């Protein structure tokens, strides 16, 4: 599968999971950032688009994948779509708990998105670095 085909699949899956179009784009760019444009070992070996580690209760993870640099296993997914379902469900759980905007149209920019993700403990990097990574792929996007 080409990068462009994976981008389209990520976008379509996020839309199918009920994400508005702008959020589906943010999730697509996030997946490119997290996998270095779908070249990471976690993606190539485990269909893991977002760097998720194994956790109990996930209905999409199929088990342990390769070991991360932190020494714990990345989650393995049966498909790209299953990997996309993980963060969309994560967002919906945070919405239900009042930790993410009920109206996702309030998240407009990559910075807005990164601030919400960081506030919920999604990533350990700085917001600025995470935004830069998402913007890098937004600016290269030919699907928009």
């Amino acid at each position: 599968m080409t990068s462009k085909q994976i981008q389209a699949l990520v976008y379509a899956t996020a839309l199918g999971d009920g994400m508005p179009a702008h959020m589906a784009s943010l999730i697509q760019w996030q997946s490119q950032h997290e996998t270095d444009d779908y070249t990471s070992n976690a993606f190539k070996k485990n269909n893991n688009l977002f760097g998720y580690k194994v956790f109990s209760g996930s209905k999409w993870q199929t088990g342990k994948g390769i070991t991360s640099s932190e020494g714990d296993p990345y989650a393995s997914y049966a498909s790209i779509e299953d990997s996309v379902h993980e963060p969309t469900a994560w967002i919906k759980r945070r919405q239900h708990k009042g930790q993410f905007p009920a109206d996702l149209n309030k998240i407009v920019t990559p910075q807005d998105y990164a601030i919400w993700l960081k506030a919920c403990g999604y990533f350990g990097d700085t917001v600025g670095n995470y935004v830069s990574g998402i913007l890098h792929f937004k600016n290269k996007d030919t699907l928009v």
Side-chain angles (χ1 to χ4, degrees):
M1 222 179 211
T2 67
S3 177
K4 193 172 275 197
Q5 290 170 319
I6 297 166
Q7 290 172 44
L9 184 55
V10 170
Y11 180 83
T13 303
L15 281 178
D17 285 351
M19 296 291 115
H22 73 285
M23 284 294 295
S25 291
L26 287 166
I27 290 167
Q28 173 208 313
W29 302 323
Q30 177 188 12
S31 74
Q32 290 176 270
H33 168 58
E34 291 280 354
T35 62
D36 196 19
D37 205 17
Y38 312 118
T39 63
S40 73
N41 282 334
F43 172 68
K44 289 195 263 182
K45 295 180 180 183
N46 306 115
N47 286 319
N48 191 325
L49 290 162
F50 300 95
Y52 270 84
K53 305 295 175 53
V54 174
F55 68 92
S56 63
S58 171
K59 55 194 218 186
W60 298 285
Q61 295 180 6
T62 60
K64 294 179 180 180
I66 63 170
T67 301
S68 73
S69 59
E70 296 89 21
D72 46 355
Y74 284 110
S76 185
Y77 295 91
S79 67
I80 289 170
E81 294 92 336
D82 284 352
S83 185
V84 176
H85 296 318
E86 198 83 79
T88 60
W90 183 91
I91 289 168
K92 289 176 183 179
R93 285 192 306 274
R94 296 317 173 278
Q95 285 180 296
H96 183 72
K97 293 177 181 179
Q99 299 170 330
F100 229 75
D103 179 2
L104 293 176
N105 290 311
K106 292 183 178 186
I107 298 174
V108 178
T109 66
Q111 179 150 357
D112 295 339
Y113 186 50
I115 288 169
W116 282 103
L117 291 173
K118 180 72 171 178
C120 292
Y122 188 87
F123 61 89
D125 201 355
T126 67
V127 168
N129 284 344
Y130 206 80
V131 169
S132 292
I134 292 173
L135 282 172
H136 173 75
F137 291 102
K138 176 185 185 284
N139 293 335
K140 289 175 51 174
D141 196 347
T142 57
L143 296 179
V144 178

